[in-house]
Amino acid sequence: MTHSRYMIFGDPVTHSRSPLMHNYAFRGLGIDACYGRWKLADGHRLRETFFALGIKGANITVPHKEAAFAACDVLDPFAKKVGAVNTLVEREGKLYGYNTDAPGFLRAIQELKGKKVLFLGAGGTAQSTAVILKEAGYNVTILNRSAGRLEKFRDEGFATATFETFTPEHYDLIVNMTSAGLEDESLPAPQPILEAVIPEARACIDVIYGKETPFLRLARTHAKPTKDGSDMLLYQGIIAFEHFTDHAFSFDEIRPHMQKAFDFN
Ligand code: NDP
């Protein structure tokens, strides 16, 4: 096998842990390949940049997952359904697109008990993960700050509410799917709403990783088990790596190598 190169595209991209994750896996599994990062301002230039760099595969982060979807020649059925691609693989001059964020989240959440889930947030990540959870038999309710993004969820059969229309129920799992707490100290929903649902929940989950968000801090004051977005990040990376290597390695073979990227926390 010749030396292959891979890349993560995004803007910003300096914070991404993907190069470390994939380079550990390539080295640990004896594959002659390397993985770098590329700041891409204009998502319309993704396809030409991919081919100009002569790379074999890529991951795509904010804000280009829809642009990556549009850049593909062949789409995996799930990526096609949710309209967002975070993994590209080049095969015989064609770009194949996959979404591994949602399967990564599903795998992370399966380690917890309970099927009734409340999502706080209705952005792109919430959309793809809600669909995969529903397909896996979860009952997902979407609670969002504003009404605009909820229409699409309602069309797909999800129960939805804004902060004004929400009636609290029992939920097994409460998930922060927003960016609230990422670069500020805000909660994803008004505190009285959170205080009404957290005490009933089995666990609280955040898709944000690398810090304890105000949401997870609040959950801990109620003595709830918490989980940040590190496993989701790790698992989406492992599933992307499976695609990069055409499934030559299993999830469990890749995991210990990629896990090393998280050992410095
Ligand atoms: P989007 O920009 O698509 O969606 C943002 C959502 O968050 C909207 O529903 C928005 O509400 C809501 N929101 C933003 N700020 C606030 C706030 N202060 N209070 C309440 N609601 C707020 O984001 P993405 O779906 O792309 O990403 C969401 C999060 O997921 C990010 O934090 C990202 O880092 C994380 N992520 C983690 C991954 C991992 O591997 N761990 C993978 C992918 C994403 P409104 O509609 O009212 O504007």
Side-chain angles (χ1 to χ4, degrees), residues 170-182:
H170 163 86
Y171 303 97
D172 299 315
L173 305 171
I174 304 173
V175 189
N176 177 21
M177 281 282 171
T178 77
S179 43
L182 183 63

Side-chain angles (χ1 to χ4, degrees), residues 2-149:
T2 54
H3 180 77
S4 313
R5 290 183 302 129
Y6 296 81
M7 201 68 78
I8 180 153
F9 293 100
D11 185 10
V13 78
T14 44
H15 67 285
S16 173
R17 219 174 282 197
S18 292
L20 198 57
M21 290 161 55
H22 287 274
N23 284 324
Y24 268 127
F26 285 134
R27 196 173 66 180
L29 293 165
I31 299 170
D32 181 17
C34 68
Y35 187 115
R37 64 182 88 228
W38 193 271
K39 184 177 172 191
L40 184 73
D42 181 1
H44 295 105
R45 302 196 61 190
L46 176 62
R47 189 181 166 94
E48 66 174 274
T49 310
F50 185 105
F51 284 114
L53 290 169
I55 56 180
K56 176 81 185 123
N59 288 121
I60 319 298
T61 187
V62 178
H64 300 316
K65 291 180 191 180
E66 284 79 20
F69 174 85
C72 291
D73 299 299
V74 184
L75 284 162
D76 165 76
F78 179 72
K80 191 171 187 174
K81 192 169 189 177
V82 297
V85 161
N86 77 323
T87 301
L88 293 173
V89 182
E90 181 274 326
R91 295 188 187 100
E92 294 172 349
K94 288 193 168 149
L95 277 189
Y96 286 69
Y98 306 89
N99 181 307
T100 73
D101 285 326
F105 181 80
L106 176 63
R107 190 140 186 159
I109 206 175
Q110 277 170 337
E111 296 165 356
L112 302 165
K113 288 213 166 21
K115 292 270 183 183
K116 190 154 184 214
V117 184
L118 178 65
F119 271 17
L120 310 168
T125 311
Q127 214 268 328
S128 60
T129 49
V131 169
I132 207 165
L133 257 57
K134 191 176 178 198
E135 287 176 358
Y138 286 80
N139 175 345
V140 185
T141 297
I142 318 291
L143 174 60
N144 198 47
R145 176 174 64 180
S146 54
R149 299 194 209 224

